[in-house]
Amino acid sequence: ESKIDPEDVVIDFYGRNNGWLRFDIENYGLDNIVRIHGIVPRDIALQNQRGSQILLLLTWGDPRENGVYTGKIFEYLAAKRPIVALGLNGGVVTDLIQQTNTGAFASNVDEAKTIILHLYREYKSSGIVSWHGIQSEINKYNHIEMAKMFAEVFDECHEQI
């Protein structure tokens, strides 16, 4: 729609080189914007997340996924960069992003356009996309807090035996 200058956009994918991704990049003529890096060491991936303006989280459009956290969401919380999640709205990932104020969720093309255009305008006006995460909410999902919750569940199960 010519609302975003393609010269301002680079989309970097790290991980397995799936055929569908390469096909879609070529099919939509995005070769000049999207770069596929393949699998890189974890520390490099985390470093690139922290250096990104926006982190893209692709979720499946399957209602069975509503109760599933991906490991990627926790990496993204730690990166302290705005998250744009695409997929089926609702479920634990949507709730987590809203609770922590770490980004936005789009379940259709129009919602994605609105979110991306808003973030792009912020980038163009200030040179950066601001992160507005609520650290106290994010801290509830660190390893220590998650281990405490697991221990509580384990204790409850043990008491019932």
Side-chain angles (χ1 to χ4, degrees):
E1 297 175 357
S2 300
K3 294 180 181 178
I4 295 176
D5 183 351
E7 295 293 320
D8 292 335
V9 180
V10 174
I11 300 172
D12 291 307
F13 278 95
Y14 294 87
R16 283 188 313 226
N17 190 351
N18 295 312
W20 66 267
L21 181 58
R22 172 59 50 206
F23 175 81
D24 282 351
I25 291 167
E26 292 171 4
N27 190 42
Y28 290 104
L30 298 172
D31 295 83
N32 58 333
I33 293 174
V34 181
R35 302 182 299 200
I36 300 176
H37 299 274
I39 297 172
V40 298
R42 181 170 165 67
D43 61 324
I44 299 297
L46 297 176
Q47 178 182 347
N48 287 319
Q49 290 171 10
R50 290 187 302 271
S52 296
Q53 290 297 320
I54 301 168
L55 298 171
L56 176 62
L57 181 65
L58 301 174
T59 64
W60 300 105
D62 188 330
R64 294 176 294 180
E65 187 185 42
N66 281 348
V68 177
Y69 291 106
T70 67
K72 187 64 62 193
I73 187 71
F74 298 108
E75 288 181 6
Y76 282 9
L77 291 176
K80 296 184 178 181
R81 301 303 308 134
I83 301 166
V84 173
L86 306 175
L88 188 64
N89 201 345
V92 294
V93 172
T94 305
D95 293 344
L96 178 60
I97 289 171
Q98 290 173 346
Q99 175 190 353
T100 58
N101 198 41
T102 51
F105 204 101
S107 59
N108 61 54
V109 172
D110 288 334
E111 289 174 1
K113 285 181 188 180
T114 300
I115 293 165
I116 292 168
L117 188 57
H118 170 75
L119 296 172
Y120 176 72
R121 287 180 177 151
E122 179 182 352
Y123 174 77
K124 288 302 285 183
S125 68
S126 66
I128 190 167
V129 179
S130 300
W131 182 76
H132 302 284
I134 303 169
Q135 194 62 50
S136 61
E137 291 296 320
I138 294 167
N139 289 344
K140 294 177 182 178
Y141 296 92
N142 68 28
H143 290 97
I144 295 168
E145 293 304 314
M146 297 300 279
K148 285 179 186 176
M149 289 191 314
F150 177 74
E152 289 171 9
V153 170
F154 185 75
D155 288 344
E156 288 176 21
C157 291
H158 184 263
E159 289 171 4
Q160 294 178 5
I161 296 178

